[in-house]
Amino acid sequence: MKQVAVILSGSGVFDGTELHEAVLTLLAIEQEGASYQCFAPDVEQLHVINHLTGEVAEGETRNVLVESARIARGNIKPIAECDVNAFDVLILPGGFGAAKNLCTFAVDGKNCAFNEDVLNVCKAFARAKKPAAYACIAPALAAKVYGNQTKMTIGSDKDTAEGLNALGACHVDCAVDEVVVDNDAKLVTTPAYMMANSISEAHTSISKMVSTVLAMK
């Protein structure tokens, strides 16, 4: 049975992990006959968004690991404890948290900073030539990890694609129900909610990503 490390970035599309993407990812992993362990950085979120109003909740702070534990039903570990040798595959669902808490791409674009522990784990999988998959906006991290004109996608948003290319990626436009595969890097990416207009479309996107990355040797 393949073991999958899943990196979460909080709880909620606007300031953490996109919840549908996370649940669909975990479900798809199990349906493919694999198992997973969730991880997240033990840091404060960039900010807290009121998901009812879309406004920043002034004066509120939340911890990325604690919030991610909501999705993982408490079964989660700090990202610093992720040992690449214990896993076969790495998967990162999207949500603004990937571009706000794991890195600052949402705020700083090509000049963004990256969480060092998250970056170290992602790079460890890349160096070990172990397959990895990044959904939605999470390829912003993949662009930094792989660089070298590695093929990846966030869908078809021109400005976001240019930001990934500026970090060293080679962006490929992609429909919501497809994936982009770079076989040399063993990297799979999919647009998910960068393009999905429904949970059904997100499901198609995420399921194809998971099945593709788990099929890689």
Side-chain angles (χ1 to χ4, degrees), residues 186-206:
K186 294 188 177 180
L187 176 68
V188 182
T189 52
T190 195
Y193 272 109
M194 286 294 290
M195 295 185 70
N197 293 309
S198 67
I199 191 170
S200 296
E201 288 188 350
H203 169 63
T204 301
S205 178
I206 294 291

Side-chain angles (χ1 to χ4, degrees), residues 142-152 167-170:
K144 175 69 172 179
V145 170
Y146 294 91
N148 198 32
Q149 294 298 295
T150 300
K151 292 188 297 182
M152 61 188 70
L167 288 168
C170 175

